[in-house]
Amino acid sequence: MPRLTTVAVVAGAALLARRAMRRRIQTSPLWPMPALDEPISGRPRSRALRLLVTAHEKVADGVVRLRLEGHDLPRWEPGAHLDLVLPSGLVRQYSLCGDPEDTSSYTVATRLVEDGRGGSREVHEQVQEGLELEVRGPRNRFPLVQAQSYVFVAGGIGITPILPMLRALPEGTDWRLLYCGRTRASMPFLEEIEKLHGNVTVVPEDESGLPDLDALFTDSPEDAAVYCCGPEGLMAAVEARVPQVHLERFAPRTSTEGNRSFEVELRRSGRVLTVPADSTVLAAVRKELPDTLYSCEQGFCGTCQQRVLEGEVDHRDELLTDAERDDSMLICVSRARGERLALDM
């Protein structure tokens, strides 16, 4: 019996020691070094809602409108957008284009992008009436500022954040809209827009893909607040003429001109990676840590946000606040300004 008691005591002590060691390692993967704070990857940007799709209708060639219903929904202002978590798990951002006073539903619209990454096709082909979707937001990085006059430039589906702005302008406000698209049939909400009491110009794109912007701004007040949403080429052309323009992007700038390679240290994992000039931090990290969370890969959803422990960041996202940028980055689009970054991974 004494021998059995000794064996039991030793086995029990070994089990307790293993459990203690496991807890210590879980607390600090690099133990006996001090534990780091909890990582922030995938931190929710806002509380999630579960909304019912009650309408899925075609409103122009290649464009569908969704009505998402719920109860006591958060209010929003013109320019706001939602994150939709699609059935596949993809997260995509869509501007709200309904009535801000309606707290029972949200309305968004999306154009089918044939050569896109699959989100718009999923909305068009798999999201149907009766489906419940997870929704995050609303968030607004494109707010309507107070001004004496306004100039709006919209290209195709880029009309969606601008439409609620037009509805919200007080009667008598001086505003003008240049709305362009490939064809009239491809331009959503065109009939409603042409009934608004304002200076509306509807034009097809010319051979260069751009409308006559010089004529628009020549006839506009110099102090007008300028808003633009549409294809990157259109927004770049407006920004070249009006540097202080308010822009809404749902796709990253694709140019890699001026990029250079740099190193990223994963402090928790003890690894050092090289990020090529033509690739991203996310791509390099996922080769070593394939379970790293990500979603939009465009700097909008925040899923891949990571804490920066060392180094200066070239922020290229459209989401983080100035305070958040002090110690974190979205690794899908942002890069290092210098030769090296250290991340809490």
Side-chain angles (χ1 to χ4, degrees):
M1 286 297 293
R3 181 177 295 176
L4 291 176
T5 300
T6 301
V7 170
V9 170
V10 171
L15 178 61
L16 291 174
R18 283 197 299 271
R19 288 178 176 174
M21 181 65 73
R22 186 180 303 116
R23 286 194 297 269
R24 179 66 65 86
I25 292 174
Q26 287 173 344
T27 302
S28 177
L30 301 182
W31 181 84
M33 294 173 61
L36 295 171
D37 294 335
E38 286 297 313
I40 58 175
S41 175
R43 183 174 62 190
R45 305 297 304 181
S46 58
R47 71 185 182 94
L49 306 169
R50 300 291 299 184
L51 302 183
L52 184 67
V53 180
T54 59
H56 181 284
E57 57 182 331
K58 180 180 177 180
V59 293
D61 288 350
V63 178
V64 297
R65 176 171 55 191
L66 301 182
R67 179 181 173 87
L68 307 161
E69 293 192 1
H71 300 285
D72 297 323
L73 301 180
R75 293 183 178 274
W76 57 280
E77 295 183 350
H81 71 273
L82 294 176
D83 295 344
L84 265 59
V85 183
L86 303 179
S88 68
L90 290 175
V91 180
R92 294 293 182 266
Q93 292 71 40
Y94 298 107
S95 295
L96 286 158
C97 54
D99 180 2
E101 299 302 316
D102 181 2
T103 59
S104 66
S105 71
Y106 291 141
T107 301
V108 298
T110 179
R111 179 179 299 284
L112 176 62
V113 182
E114 295 287 355
D115 58 349
R117 297 179 301 120
S120 66
R121 183 169 296 280
E122 188 170 353
V123 171
H124 278 247
E125 298 179 357
Q126 298 183 35
V127 175
Q128 300 296 332
E129 292 182 17
L131 182 69
E132 197 174 56
L133 289 180
E134 180 179 320
V135 173
R136 301 170 190 160
R139 298 199 307 274
N140 198 341
R141 58 170 185 251
F142 194 50
L144 183 65
V145 300
Q146 289 189 344
Q148 294 297 316
S149 58
Y150 298 87
V151 176
F152 300 97
V153 182
I157 197 65
I159 193 64
T160 51
I162 289 175
L163 181 57
M165 295 182 180
L166 300 178
R167 297 183 186 131
L169 292 175
E171 186 174 352
T173 301
D174 177 25
W175 64 268
R176 62 206 66 202
L177 165 69
L178 176 62
Y179 183 18
C180 57
R182 291 187 297 274
T183 64
R184 289 181 62 89
S186 71
M187 300 166 70
F189 311 114
L190 184 56
E191 183 175 345
E192 176 185 349
I193 288 169
E194 290 184 322
K195 293 178 180 179
L196 295 174
H197 298 292
N199 185 345
V200 178
T201 302
V202 177
V203 297
E205 296 171 345
D206 64 19
E207 293 181 359
S208 67
L210 295 173
D212 187 353
L213 297 173
D214 292 331
L216 172 68
F217 291 113
T218 298
D219 295 336
S220 302
E222 291 186 3
D223 60 349
V226 180
Y227 283 77
C228 180
C229 185
E232 182 61 37
L234 175 64
M235 292 193 292
V238 173
E239 189 173 22
R241 291 166 172 80
V242 186
Q244 68 274 23
V245 61
H246 301 270
L247 298 174
E248 175 77 315
R249 281 190 170 89
F250 286 112
R253 299 176 188 263
T254 56
S255 173
T256 60
E257 183 178 352
N259 285 355
R260 60 181 179 179
S261 64
F262 57 94
E263 289 186 344
V264 172
E265 176 191 355
L266 308 183
R267 187 68 56 84
R268 289 176 180 263
S269 307
R271 309 179 194 184
V272 177
L273 315 176
T274 297
V275 180
D278 60 350
S279 189
T280 65
V281 177
L282 175 64
V285 168
R286 281 185 54 80
K287 289 180 181 179
E288 297 291 328
L289 304 176
D291 293 333
T292 300
L293 296 177
Y294 73 102
S295 183
C296 75
E297 298 183 79
Q298 300 185 84
F300 297 122
C301 73
T303 304
C304 69
Q305 183 178 353
Q306 297 290 344
R307 180 175 286 113
V308 179
L309 303 176
E310 189 177 312
E312 186 178 2
V313 180
D314 177 9
H315 292 285
R316 302 184 181 186
D317 66 274
E318 298 288 340
L319 180 67
L320 299 183
T321 64
D322 289 342
E324 290 172 318
R325 289 181 175 186
D326 286 341
D327 64 358
S328 64
M329 67 183 289
L330 300 190
I331 62 173
C332 64
V333 292
S334 296
R335 305 181 67 81
R337 288 194 180 276
E339 302 294 332
R340 187 182 179 92
L341 290 174
L343 301 180
D344 181 20
M345 300 183 71

